[in-house]
Amino acid sequence: MNHTCTTDVTVTRKSHLTRILTLIGLILALSSCQSAPDRSTDDVTPHARELVDLRSRILTYTAELEPDDAYTPPDDTQRERVAESVGHLLDGDTTKAERLLAPVGLKLTRLTDTESGRRYDEIAAARPGRAERWGRLYLTADSDVRWNAQVPHPVSDRDTERLGVRLLEDNPGGSLVLAGAHREAGRGDAADVSHREDSMFHAVVVELQKRDVPGVQLHGFAKESHRPYEAVLSARAAWNTIDEAVALADGMQADGLRVCRGWSARCPLEGTTNVQGRAAQRHHARFLHVELSPSARGGGTDAKDTARALSELLMNWNTADR
């Protein structure tokens, strides 16, 4: 509430009664000014608020994912509501965001991380059920959102969820888009969100792309003899990110990581069929597809170097002029 108010009153030679009336008017004016509401914290903060260990909260959620889980994607109307709510949230209108999420079975919660003190807005299922496997979104609440890390295959691409959380924790200005089902859950490839457009994951990523928020998508591959790399980088689905891709590859190689550059070499796993990459191309958004070996994620020997190189990319996105 704003307690600052300025009221100009000129008292000239008047009768004693007039002066008293003028004084009473001034007091009433100040009282009215002090009680007038302005844009308080409650106007921009979700109703639900929690003090949490952010890392534990996210990894406890992903630890429950199993390949035999049931999974049914949201329908068109549900995806549209989620995308619209994310747009309102990015605009700072939490009230509209919450109203759109509630009928879908989702809720908005303002989290404060006990480790860093940073605040995040979480979109997650309001209760156990179908929506619980649609995934989650974490958006910084302390600044504009300047980048996003995407984890389409948590658990099945082992430790990509841990890397995603680490990037969110270590770098300000960001967001984490997290799939909520094992890649093999449901029927057929229903939960393979990097190749499906009928997912909450895709709806959120596309909304961020429309807002010109650059994204890096994290994948993992098994180390085999024909893949003698720690990382495979590709911007083929979104060529407007080629400069960032080159800088990331240079940074990784400077730390001793072997990198296959999809734009200048023949590499496996380039992500050319990735639907978020194709959407980025349509929306002229920046998008990087990153495949990592087991040693380059989680607790692997190269994981710190990977996180450092990716953090430099995110830092540049965070400080870049729009």
Side-chain angles (χ1 to χ4, degrees):
M1 182 173 292
N2 189 344
H3 295 282
T4 302
C5 184
T6 302
T7 302
D8 293 328
V9 177
T10 301
V11 181
T12 59
R13 292 184 177 178
K14 299 178 181 178
S15 67
H16 182 66
L17 178 60
T18 302
R19 291 179 180 178
I20 291 175
L21 291 174
T22 301
L23 180 59
I24 291 173
L26 173 60
I27 293 171
L28 290 174
L30 288 171
S31 174
S32 173
C33 193
Q34 287 177 339
S35 61
D38 65 0
R39 185 176 172 81
S40 68
T41 303
D42 288 339
D43 294 328
V44 295
T45 303
H47 290 102
R49 309 173 200 177
E50 293 185 37
L51 184 65
V52 302
D53 180 331
L54 184 69
R55 170 170 287 267
S56 176
R57 185 182 184 91
I58 297 174
L59 296 183
T60 297
Y61 171 69
T62 58
E64 300 173 352
L65 306 187
E66 299 288 347
D68 58 354
D69 285 341
Y71 173 80
T72 304
D75 60 32
D76 291 350
T77 300
Q78 290 167 331
R79 293 196 303 274
E80 289 171 5
R81 278 183 167 269
V82 170
E84 190 176 350
S85 72
V86 172
H88 286 306
L89 191 53
L90 291 171
D91 290 337
D93 193 336
T94 60
T95 300
K96 286 185 179 178
E98 288 177 310
R99 287 174 182 168
L100 286 163
L101 292 172
V104 182
L106 301 171
K107 69 176 182 178
L108 179 63
T109 306
R110 170 66 54 83
L111 307 177
T112 300
D113 182 31
T114 54
E115 180 69 23
S116 65
R118 289 178 181 164
R119 300 176 305 156
Y120 301 90
D121 286 330
E122 175 196 70
I123 293 179
R127 61 192 66 84
R130 179 185 171 203
E132 193 174 20
R133 297 278 68 91
W134 288 347
R136 290 183 176 183
L137 172 65
Y138 295 87
L139 293 168
T140 181
D142 291 328
S143 69
D144 291 338
V145 177
R146 307 301 298 269
W147 58 266
N148 74 95
Q150 304 162 19
V151 181
H153 302 140
V155 180
S156 57
D157 281 6
R158 182 169 53 86
D159 290 332
T160 52
E161 67 277 7
R162 292 182 179 275
L163 177 56
V165 175
R166 181 172 183 173
L167 294 176
L168 185 65
E169 288 181 318
D170 291 352
N171 302 280
S175 57
L176 175 64
V177 190
L178 185 68
H182 191 283
R183 183 176 188 169
E184 298 174 11
R187 296 182 179 179
D189 65 347
D192 184 2
V193 298
S194 65
H195 294 95
R196 303 276 303 218
E197 295 185 347
D198 59 346
S199 69
M200 174 173 146
F201 181 92
H202 185 73
V204 170
V205 169
V206 170
E207 184 63 28
L208 291 168
Q209 290 174 349
K210 290 178 180 178
R211 300 301 187 103
D212 195 28
V213 179
V216 56
Q217 191 169 114
L218 307 173
H219 293 263
F221 65 86
K223 191 69 175 287
E224 298 175 5
S225 58
H226 67 288
R227 296 174 183 167
Y229 312 106
E230 279 71 56
V232 177
L233 307 185
S234 176
R236 185 163 293 181
W239 279 103
N240 60 334
T241 323
I242 193 67
D243 291 341
E244 286 98 327
V246 171
L248 178 59
D250 290 345
M252 286 182 162
Q253 287 190 324
D255 285 331
L257 303 179
R258 290 172 293 182
V259 180
C260 191
R261 306 179 184 225
W263 55 92
S264 61
R266 205 166 186 180
C267 303
L269 306 170
E270 291 184 24
T272 54
T273 60
N274 184 285
V275 296
Q276 288 82 47
R278 290 180 171 179
Q281 193 171 32
R282 290 195 300 272
H283 295 109
H284 306 288
R286 288 163 292 174
F287 175 87
L288 275 177
H289 185 276
V290 179
E291 290 274 358
L292 299 167
S293 72
S295 69
R297 45 195 158 96
T301 55
D302 300 309
K304 288 184 179 180
D305 292 332
T306 300
R308 182 166 53 248
L310 286 167
S311 290
E312 186 172 346
L313 168 73
L314 302 182
M315 181 178 65
N316 289 336
W317 276 343
N318 189 40
T319 58
D321 293 332
R322 291 295 178 93

